[in-house]
Amino acid sequence: MSSVPAPPPVDGVVEPGPVTVSVAFCPCPPLLHPAVAGRAAADTARLRAACAEAVDAMLSVRPEVVLVVGHDARGRFGAGDGGDLRGFGVDLTVPFAGRLRPGGRRTPLALTLGAWLLGEAGHAGLCLGVGPDDLAGAFDGLPGPVGVLAMGDGTARRTAKAPGYLDEAAAPFDAAVAAALRAGDARALAGLDPAEGERLLASGVPTWRALGAVLAGRPVTARLHAEQAPFGVGYLVADWVVR
């Protein structure tokens, strides 16, 4: 998987080094949206606040484009596309980038929630939605700096009431991801075991692995904002600035 390229030549001169990449890592449970959470909204308030901090940090470098990455995305999504939360009992439509257009593609949940987070942060710039398999190619030709909103949950087997029931390996797996996010260790993310991630129902693993592979070997300034499992599912929030 290729690394993030340097900017294209300008008047025959190539700028030194790769472009700056700012990343916000956020989970994507339906309950992240307060309208879906309903009475449980208070239980996810800290998580939303952490996501807002991470997204604000990602946008603070004024990225030319924001890539929103979700495990459930196939192909590319952009202007005119959008999703909704009707499957979760909320009559709410979320445009992905700009106004919805007839015939626009329907965004999967991870990208829909990502677009909502960006909208809450006031972002109105260029967005491109992709899945993990398309992430490396999506960087090609992009001007810098580039923002990435990496959407994905940790394990869903942290307690007996979790969606996948209790697995003793779940908490250590999430702790290892949290340590990598805290340390800005892209190689550790790239090296996550995909089979173990699938077994533990950690939807974020494909996205984390893809992003780690793209950014491995570059200096990272990292902050971990949250490491929670309020419903037996690991939710991790962090931001990186990659030079």
Side-chain angles (χ1 to χ4, degrees):
M1 195 171 284
S2 62
S3 61
V4 182
V10 177
D11 294 332
V13 177
V14 178
E15 293 294 327
V19 300
T20 296
V21 179
S22 58
V23 187
F25 296 88
C26 293
C28 52
L31 290 172
L32 184 64
H33 197 291
V36 176
R39 293 181 179 179
D43 297 327
T44 52
R46 288 177 51 228
L47 184 64
R48 279 191 297 278
C51 288
E53 291 176 356
V55 171
D56 284 346
M58 182 267 290
L59 294 175
S60 68
V61 303
R62 300 183 180 275
E64 293 288 332
V65 59
V66 174
L67 299 176
V68 186
V69 193
H71 70 284
D72 49 1
R74 300 292 182 272
R76 296 193 178 192
F77 297 81
D81 299 334
D84 61 66
L85 298 174
R86 294 189 184 93
F88 305 99
V90 176
D91 187 12
L92 178 66
T93 299
V94 182
F96 182 74
R99 295 182 178 180
L100 294 170
R101 59 174 170 79
R105 296 187 67 198
R106 180 173 178 173
T107 54
L109 179 63
L111 300 193
T112 300
L113 289 172
W116 172 70
L117 286 174
L118 290 171
E120 290 292 290
H123 178 68
L126 181 62
C127 293
L128 176 63
V130 296
D133 291 343
D134 296 320
L135 177 60
F139 277 105
D140 292 342
L142 291 181
V146 176
V148 179
L149 178 50
M151 304 293 291
D153 296 346
T155 64
R157 307 191 70 172
R158 293 283 294 269
T159 68
K161 293 184 178 180
Y165 195 68
L166 175 65
D167 189 305
E168 297 294 343
F173 189 93
D174 285 339
V177 177
L181 293 177
R182 183 185 293 109
D185 191 343
R187 293 192 188 279
L189 291 186
L192 290 171
D193 184 342
E196 185 70 348
E198 184 175 1
R199 188 182 74 80
L200 295 174
L201 307 180
S203 69
V205 168
T207 294
W208 299 332
R209 279 173 47 84
L211 190 58
V214 170
L215 300 177
R218 295 179 54 181
V220 178
T221 301
R223 288 186 297 174
L224 182 68
H225 294 266
E227 180 184 0
Q228 304 176 16
F231 308 110
V233 181
Y235 298 142
L236 303 162
V237 184
D239 77 82
W240 287 6
V241 176
V242 187
R243 302 295 181 183

